[in-house]
Amino acid sequence: MLKYIRSHALVKVFLWVIIIAFVATIFYSWGAGGQVEGANKTIATVNGMKIQVNEFNRAYGNILNFYRDQFHDQFSDEMAAKLNLKENALEALIQNRLILAEAEKMNLLVSNQELVSSISKRPEFQKDSQFSNVLYQNYLNFNRITPREFEESQRKDILRKKLEEVIKASTQISESEIQEAYKKENEKIKFKFIGFSRDFFKPTGLPSDQDLQKYFEAHKNEFEVPEQIQVQYVKLVPAMVMDKIEIYEEDIKDYYNTNEAKFFIKKQYQASHILIKSDAQLPFGEDLSDEEKEKLLDEADAGARGKAEEILKQIRDGADFGEMAKKYSDDPGSGANGGSLGQFSKGMMVPEFEEALDRLSPGELGSPVQTVFGFHIIRLDQVNEERIKPLVEV
């Protein structure tokens, strides 16, 4: 392993290659930013590995919902932009690709036994010092992730730790570096000195007037006094003259025309939903093939979709939407409010959700829509198209 790293230059160079590739990929693929359309479109390529829109949307959706849970009504488009959430989601995906690529080059692997051992030892899954499958499933449900997604993330975490240990173990310090460090800590200097008392340089007498005049002539610059002025002034505060300021109509129009972008309002939705999560219970620790796991996940999706369609049928037959949301929705925040999501701007929800909203008219119910969180029964309550506030309103 040490031979491998040395063949690719020093460890510092190895780490800088990762950093440079990481930064270059962000700027090359991200560009001007903004909402990316097309589920199969590639937005970044890392060492030949593609990051597609649907994967980015899932990561970005998870970050958005985390901040919504933290800040509630205080969370806004402006806050999301200031926090650079889209860039953070993409950077996290790129970083994972880079680390996993390096681990693959080094033939680092994580066995199923290692994965099971790591998960079963996590304290949040322990009950009476034993692994609890109930706690494990509750954790997955609470965080809205499937067992497969969680286990894959744990596998990647273990790979990252293995890569870190390899780099640490492969870092060697040369003899010259050791000597240099020792010198800095222990090097001493020998020197000789002579001490004088304070009175040694004390003058024997006072200088004469001639001596003082001579010194003054030779050092006039030392006695220069900066130029000084004397002024009188009156201090005014805005409150004293505010009622005397006249703002003309032309000034208002000029300001409005110059700053029109400040008065742009994004498209606003007011909607309600009922969320039915697709909770696949994959047997923990069993070595299932990808086909078997996919089959279990598909069966869970079909069950959730069927439940959502049955609820939708009851609503269309006369059941109250709000009461059905309180009873069946797996979104505790909106469910308690009859499914209401309040008002939000375009770009705040995951793309599949907003695409469904754009197909509805106010007051209309849509068919179940699947997102990373499950199946949604969506009702569009009101929509305000994007616009620029007119001058009268401003």
Side-chain angles (χ1 to χ4, degrees):
M1 192 66 68
L2 179 59
K3 182 179 179 181
Y4 172 86
I5 293 180
R6 281 179 172 167
S7 69
H8 290 71
L10 299 175
V11 173
K12 289 181 180 179
V13 177
F14 168 77
L15 293 177
W16 271 112
V17 168
I18 295 178
I19 294 171
I20 292 170
F22 173 68
V23 175
T25 307
I26 293 174
F27 282 95
Y28 178 79
S29 301
W30 184 242
Q35 184 65 41
V36 186
E37 303 295 340
N40 296 320
K41 184 176 179 181
T42 299
I43 61 173
T45 302
V46 184
N47 293 339
M49 296 181 290
K50 296 180 179 180
I51 298 176
Q52 294 183 327
V53 172
N54 53 1
E55 184 179 2
F56 166 77
N57 286 338
R58 285 195 297 270
Y60 179 52
N62 288 337
I63 293 177
L64 279 180
N65 281 282
F66 171 80
Y67 280 94
R68 285 198 193 99
D69 291 341
Q70 298 298 316
F71 295 100
H72 303 290
D73 294 339
Q74 296 179 3
F75 187 69
S76 63
D77 291 346
E78 183 180 0
M79 181 182 293
K82 287 183 178 179
L83 293 173
N84 295 322
L85 299 189
K86 288 184 178 180
E87 288 83 350
N88 291 341
L90 183 60
E91 287 175 12
L93 292 172
I94 293 173
Q95 186 178 26
N96 275 334
R97 291 292 196 280
L98 290 169
I99 292 173
L100 295 176
E102 291 303 323
E104 183 178 353
K105 287 181 182 178
M106 296 182 180
N107 294 320
L108 298 178
L109 300 172
V110 178
S111 67
N112 290 338
Q113 289 78 10
E114 288 178 297
L115 178 62
V116 171
S117 175
S118 174
I119 295 177
S120 61
K121 290 179 181 179
R122 291 183 57 147
E124 59 265 44
F125 303 147
Q126 299 287 317
K127 183 176 182 181
D128 299 327
S129 301
Q130 297 291 327
F131 173 79
S132 170
N133 191 53
V134 173
L135 293 178
Y136 177 62
Q137 296 297 337
N138 288 342
Y139 176 89
L140 299 182
N141 293 337
F142 180 79
N143 289 280
R144 298 177 177 177
I145 54 176
T146 65
R148 181 174 63 177
E149 291 171 333
F150 178 73
E151 290 171 16
E152 282 303 312
S153 70
Q154 292 303 297
R155 192 183 295 273
K156 291 175 182 177
D157 284 341
I158 297 173
L159 267 182
R160 282 192 288 269
K161 291 177 183 177
K162 282 190 174 185
L163 180 61
E164 182 181 348
E165 291 302 319
V166 167
I167 294 174
K168 288 181 179 178
S170 303
T171 304
Q172 292 187 347
I173 302 175
S174 66
E175 187 70 24
S176 61
E177 288 175 318
I178 295 175
Q179 291 178 358
E180 184 67 23
Y182 179 81
K183 285 180 181 179
K184 287 182 179 180
E185 294 293 329
N186 299 280
E187 192 171 43
K188 297 179 181 178
I189 299 174
K190 290 184 178 180
F191 63 94
K192 295 180 180 180
F193 65 94
I194 300 174
F196 297 93
S197 67
R198 292 184 177 181
D199 297 335
F200 185 83
F201 294 102
K202 189 174 182 179
T204 56
L206 295 175
S208 65
D209 291 343
Q210 293 78 5
D211 293 333
L212 293 175
Q213 184 65 35
K214 183 178 179 181
Y215 181 87
F216 175 74
E217 294 294 337
H219 299 85
K220 281 186 176 181
N221 291 339
E222 296 180 9
F223 304 100
E224 285 186 354
V225 178
E227 182 180 3
Q228 297 179 349
I229 60 173
Q230 187 174 5
V231 298
Q232 293 181 335
Y233 66 94
V234 176
K235 181 179 179 181
L236 296 176
V237 295
M240 297 171 61
V241 296
M242 192 69 71
D243 59 342
K244 298 179 176 62
I245 297 175
E246 184 176 357
I247 301 176
Y248 296 98
E249 191 70 23
E250 291 77 10
D251 296 329
I252 297 174
K253 289 180 180 179
D254 286 344
Y255 180 85
Y256 174 80
N257 293 330
T258 305
N259 299 274
E260 193 175 67
K262 293 183 178 180
F263 310 117
F264 175 78
I265 300 176
K266 288 186 176 182
K267 187 176 184 178
Q268 301 284 316
Y269 302 97
Q270 188 166 332
S272 303
H273 82 142
I274 298 174
L275 172 65
I276 304 300
K277 292 200 300 184
S278 176
D279 295 325
Q281 302 292 324
L282 294 181
F284 175 73
E286 291 190 16
D287 190 13
L288 298 178
S289 66
D290 289 341
E291 291 78 10
E292 290 172 325
K293 291 180 179 179
E294 195 67 33
K295 181 180 178 182
L296 288 175
L297 293 173
D298 289 343
E299 290 174 353
D301 284 348
R305 181 185 291 276
K307 182 178 179 181
E309 289 175 346
E310 176 59 29
I311 294 171
L312 177 61
K313 182 178 181 300
Q314 293 182 43
I315 295 173
R316 286 177 171 166
D317 288 342
D320 182 73
F321 185 97
E323 293 303 318
M324 296 296 280
K326 291 178 182 179
K327 185 175 181 180
Y328 294 110
S329 182
D330 290 325
D331 180 356
S334 67
N337 295 321
S340 175
L341 294 169
Q343 184 168 294
F344 52 91
S345 301
K346 187 174 182 62
M348 293 291 288
M349 297 297 182
V350 293
E352 300 91 341
F353 195 96
E354 287 193 357
E355 289 169 5
L357 283 174
D358 288 334
R359 292 193 295 268
L360 299 175
S361 300
E364 185 181 359
L365 274 172
S367 299
V369 175
Q370 186 177 14
T371 72
V372 66
F373 305 108
F375 290 87
H376 306 259
I377 302 170
I378 304 173
R379 185 184 70 194
L380 177 62
D381 299 321
Q382 185 179 339
V383 60
N384 296 315
E385 297 295 336
E386 66 180 32
R387 65 189 181 95
I388 296 176
K389 287 184 179 181
L391 178 58
V392 174
E393 184 179 344
V394 173

